[in-house]
């Protein structure tokens, strides 16, 4: 009897379709909810960095999200990382080709007066650190320091070869009164099975637009930014700090904590030791806790499902209370200029 069979098939198809719609709807709603469920930075009650008068020659720093930092002593400016363009979540998930956003970059360079930029130094070559280094160098004539992979990002953007410096591990580079030392370290093992996401190198000039996956890690650095008035260590990714930090005494540490919660408390404590305890820094700014798919200028912590920055902050306080009682923890404020070392260096 063909008719009842056909009826049964129709009913089955209808039920399956309804079930599929329900699963997709509920699943999408759950994903949206998980993405929007975020901790509040207001629950971290660390004090602001001690305010200081900006005397001539004092070194100030300004944070622009993730680990992009502008150092400025009034004569010379250094930019750690170059990431202003902020591809959207859809760009990242769909792997759409992305390009530097000229409008945002022009605005930032003008608004924050980056007219004395001597060097752009990404901590490694993932897009959330190095995407815009070429576009910035082309507008400022600053040098770009980094790995061969970073150099190929610069070349792809058409940066002249004499502005590109492939660094050697442990070498020092002078810019005005700043001395920058690049120490090879490691990226946080935050990929599947302890791997590094988008690992590997870029071996030819990187043409843009390209999907974000085209920016490969290319080697990570602990960057020591020394100045006659003080020293800051920048650790962008939460890979263990370079062993060479044993010979460095720092006033300030810029500590990247991106996705460190998933690596566990033990790992985080080891990380703290390798960068903070080792250098005896008295002030620690925590960085790389913000969702970098948000537009430039918007600071929102990662969704709880990726990392709860409030829990990580509690860990760091425990490490500080156990090992480094005199150290102060701080959260940076987007775009706010902070005088790090108020004393002007003696004229040389
Ligand atoms: Zn990275």
């Amino acid at each position: 009897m063909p008719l009842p069979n056909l009826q049964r098939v129709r009913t089955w198809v209808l039920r399956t379709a309804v079930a599929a719609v329900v699963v997709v709807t509920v699943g999408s709603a759950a994903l949206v909810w998980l993405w929007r469920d975020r901790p509040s930075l207001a629950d971290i009650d660390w004090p602001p960095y001690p305010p200081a008068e900006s005397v001539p020659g004092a070194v100030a720093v300004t944070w622009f999200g993730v680990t992009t930092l502008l150092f400025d002593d009034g004569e010379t400016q250094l930019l750690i990382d170059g990431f202003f363009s902020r591809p959207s979540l859809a760009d990242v998930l769909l792997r759409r080709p992305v390009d530097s956003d000229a409008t945002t970059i022009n605005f930032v360079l003008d608004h924050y007066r980056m007219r004395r930029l001597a060097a752009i130094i990404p901590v490694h070559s993932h897009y959330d650190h190095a995407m815009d280094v070429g576009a910035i160098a082309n507008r400022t004539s600053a040098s770009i320091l980094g790995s061969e992979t970073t150099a190929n990002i610069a070349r792809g953007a058409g940066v002249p070869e004499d502005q590109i410096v492939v660094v050697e591990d442990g070498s020092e580079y002078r810019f005005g009164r700043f001395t920058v030392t690049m120490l090879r370290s490691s990226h946080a093992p935050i990929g599947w099975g302890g791997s590094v996401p988008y690992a590997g190198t870029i071996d030819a000039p990187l043409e843009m637009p390209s999907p974000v996956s085209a920016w490969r890690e290319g080697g990570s650095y602990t960057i020591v930014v020394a100045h006659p008035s003080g020293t800051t260590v920048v650790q962008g990714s939460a890979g263990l700090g370079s062993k060479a930090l044993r010979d460095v005494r720092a006033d300030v540490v810029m500590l990247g904590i991106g996705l460190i919660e998933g690596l566990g408390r033990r790992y985080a404590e080891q990380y703290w030791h390798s960068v903070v305890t080792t250098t005896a820094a008295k002030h620690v700014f925590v960085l790389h806790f913000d969702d970098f798919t948000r537009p430039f200028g918007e600071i929102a912590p990662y969704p709880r499902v990726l990392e709860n920055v409030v829990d990580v902050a509690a860990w760091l306080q425990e490490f500080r209370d156990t090992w480094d009682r005199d150290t102060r923890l701080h959260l940076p404020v987007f775009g706010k200029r902070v005088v790090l070392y108020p004393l002007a260096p003696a004229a040389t």
Side-chain angles (χ1 to χ4, degrees), residues 238-241 255-257 260-278 311-324:
L240 299 182
L255 193 70
I257 59 159
I260 198 171
E261 189 176 27
L263 300 173
R265 191 185 184 284
R266 241 179 114 86
Y267 177 91
E269 190 163 17
Q270 240 183 310
Y271 176 56
W272 173 274
H273 278 308
S274 75
V275 188
V276 180
T277 311
T278 301
D311 291 348
V312 175
W315 284 355
L316 299 182
Q317 272 175 233
E318 287 169 29
F319 305 154
R320 187 273 311 274
D321 293 344
T322 310
W323 306 104
D324 302 278

Side-chain angles (χ1 to χ4, degrees), residues 261-304:
E261 189 176 27
L263 300 173
R265 191 185 184 284
R266 241 179 114 86
Y267 177 91
E269 190 163 17
Q270 240 183 310
Y271 176 56
W272 173 274
H273 278 308
S274 75
V275 188
V276 180
T277 311
T278 301
T279 58
K282 290 290 167 273
H283 295 278
V284 175
F285 280 96
V286 168
L287 308 180
H288 214 333
F289 55 81
D290 48 317
D291 175 357
F292 47 84
T293 63
R294 294 293 182 98
F296 181 77
E298 262 188 54
I299 300 298
Y302 292 133
R304 226 179 277 267

Side-chain angles (χ1 to χ4, degrees), residues 123-129 187-188 190 196-198 215-217 220 236-238 288 292:
V123 294
H124 58 266
S125 301
H126 281 147
Y127 84 100
D128 55 325
H129 301 274
H187 192 281
I190 51 173
V196 172
Y198 303 146
W215 279 265
R216 298 286 160 167
E217 188 237 16
S220 295
S237 173
H288 214 333
F292 47 84

Side-chain angles (χ1 to χ4, degrees), residues 56-120:
V59 175
V61 72
T62 310
W63 177 65
F64 297 108
V66 197
T67 57
T68 296
L69 298 161
L70 177 70
F71 285 85
D72 189 353
D73 70 352
E75 284 177 19
T76 308
Q77 294 172 326
L78 302 177
L79 193 62
I80 303 293
D81 286 2
F83 180 54
F84 304 138
S85 291
R86 303 294 185 122
S88 68
L89 181 62
D91 289 333
V92 174
L93 293 179
L94 302 173
R95 302 216 174 170
R96 294 198 289 230
V98 294
D99 204 343
S100 282
D101 172 359
T103 309
T104 301
I105 292 169
N106 290 338
F107 164 78
V108 175
L109 296 182
D110 183 54
H111 189 77
Y112 294 95
R113 297 186 175 82
M114 291 187 214
R115 298 183 188 121
R116 295 172 278 104
L117 200 59
I120 309 160

